[in-house]
Amino acid sequence: MTDARKLVVAISSRALFDLDESHRIFEEGGKEAFCRYQIEHEEETLAPGVAFTLVRKLLAINDTLRQPTVEVILLSRNSADTGLRVFNSIRHHGLDIVRAAFTNGASPFGYIAAFGADLFLSSNAEDVKKALAAGHAAATILASAKPATDSGQLRIAFDGDAVLFSDESERIYREQGLEAFAEYEAAEARKPLSGGPFKAFLATLHHVQTLFDADESPIRTALVTARAAPAHERVVRTLRAWNIRIDEALFLGGKAKGPFLSAFGADIFFDDQQGHCHSASQHVATGHVPHGVANLDTPPA
């Protein structure tokens, strides 16, 4: 956790609000047409985007604790001029977001470290890849085919290999097959896995959870992995070695993750594999983490 007092999440304006129409105008008419459109519609409130519910629930933690424990930062490729519509919409929706970087078309990923962000969410895959390469937890947001849950509790689900953990085991599976993977995991069961790009973010979430009684936490986490017994043991022992609590762990043995994520009520799910992400996005909001061996020879999501 970069700041012992805060969980800091950086988010792009297109992840926070529905800017599909604005983006279409940008792609069809260019930057000048986009700027003109945004200024002409400056007083029109933007509708919530795919990560809006997630952000609202994150910020609600501050109200529950009555102290500034969570901060959301806006990182936008808009100019400050065209970004007025975004801030007007933030005010209209009552979101306590006061810090922002407007980069006028340039990638904003360089400001992640400056703001001390623990997580970066964006709809721009290239910005996400740059952030991951720089050592930050980051994901490309995919819209869900179903609306977000309206429960008050924030529910976040993670894949294991190449997200919470390194991709060392995934590499063995891809290079040598399932049997070799199972043998390797059994032999290494008592050796903790190395951390993946989301280890620090999970640790920060866990820290915030410890500020509440276990049965009253506004945050609930889940590990949703294609692993099955006996490959589950190393995962359990790894989290124990990290001293990090996961509230629920689902070892699916290759079953489709979407129905289980829906049953968990995830506000967002993070996975490194595009196939899993697109399947999951039929049920819940999903973040593609373009990290590890599964993304070496595939185009951005």
Side-chain angles (χ1 to χ4, degrees):
M1 192 171 182
T2 52
D3 184 324
R5 296 174 291 109
K6 285 187 178 180
L7 163 65
V8 181
V9 175
I11 188 166
S12 72
S13 51
R14 282 182 61 202
L16 181 59
F17 293 118
D18 182 356
L19 283 162
D20 286 350
E21 177 65 14
S22 303
H23 188 64
R24 181 189 65 78
I25 289 171
F26 173 77
E27 290 187 324
E28 294 178 358
K31 186 175 179 179
E32 287 189 11
F34 167 81
C35 293
R36 186 167 57 251
Y37 177 84
Q38 289 294 74
I39 292 172
E40 288 172 353
H41 294 79
E42 203 165 85
E43 301 304 321
E44 294 180 17
T45 301
L46 292 163
V50 63
F52 182 90
T53 297
L54 172 72
V55 167
R56 187 182 63 193
K57 290 184 178 182
L58 279 167
L59 293 172
I61 293 170
N62 294 330
D63 297 329
T64 303
L65 284 173
R66 297 183 179 180
Q67 62 183 27
T69 304
V70 178
E71 181 172 14
V72 175
I73 306 290
L74 184 71
L75 297 186
S76 176
R77 283 174 172 260
N78 282 334
S79 66
D81 195 33
T82 58
L84 274 181
R85 188 183 184 193
V86 176
F87 257 124
N88 287 343
S89 298
I90 286 172
R91 183 175 64 250
H92 173 87
H93 288 288
L95 300 177
D96 186 16
I97 298 174
V98 298
R99 291 190 172 98
F102 293 101
T103 59
N104 196 21
S107 174
F109 92 95
Y111 293 106
I112 297 170
F115 279 118
D118 301 285
L119 174 67
F120 175 53
L121 300 175
S122 175
S123 48
N124 188 299
E126 289 304 314
D127 286 346
V128 168
K129 289 171 69 175
K130 290 176 181 177
L132 283 165
H136 306 293
T140 310
I141 291 291
L142 304 178
S144 173
K146 296 182 180 179
T149 61
D150 201 25
S151 68
Q153 192 174 49
L154 173 62
R155 295 190 166 220
I156 300 179
F158 303 87
D159 180 36
D161 296 297
V163 178
L164 292 182
F165 315 121
S166 72
D167 68 343
E168 61 189 78
S169 299
E170 178 71 17
R171 287 178 180 272
I172 290 174
Y173 170 72
R174 287 176 174 265
E175 293 169 4
Q176 302 178 40
L178 181 60
E179 185 175 344
F181 166 80
E183 291 176 357
Y184 176 78
E185 289 301 287
E188 301 288 315
R190 292 183 176 274
K191 179 181 177 182
L193 286 153
S194 301
F198 275 65
K199 177 188 175 182
F201 173 61
L202 178 63
T204 304
L205 277 179
H206 174 74
H207 171 79
V208 176
Q209 285 179 302
T210 64
L211 302 177
F212 299 87
D213 292 336
D215 58 350
E216 295 180 355
S217 175
I219 304 171
R220 191 165 182 84
T221 56
L223 170 69
V224 182
T225 173
R227 285 176 178 250
H232 73 295
E233 182 178 353
R234 193 178 187 196
V235 167
V236 173
R237 292 186 180 278
T238 296
L239 291 169
R240 185 183 298 169
W242 291 354
N243 195 29
I244 291 177
R245 182 186 86 214
I246 281 278
D247 296 302
E248 300 188 23
L250 307 179
F251 299 97
L252 302 183
K255 289 184 72 67
K257 298 179 180 181
F260 295 92
L261 292 164
S262 181
F264 173 64
D267 289 296
I268 194 165
F269 169 59
F270 297 106
D271 199 299
D272 66 305
Q273 297 189 41
Q274 289 192 42
H276 291 167
C277 287
H278 287 291
S279 175
S281 69
Q282 300 305 306
H283 301 266
V284 300
T286 303
H288 175 232
V289 183
H291 173 78
V293 65
N295 293 280
L296 292 180
D297 55 359
T298 56

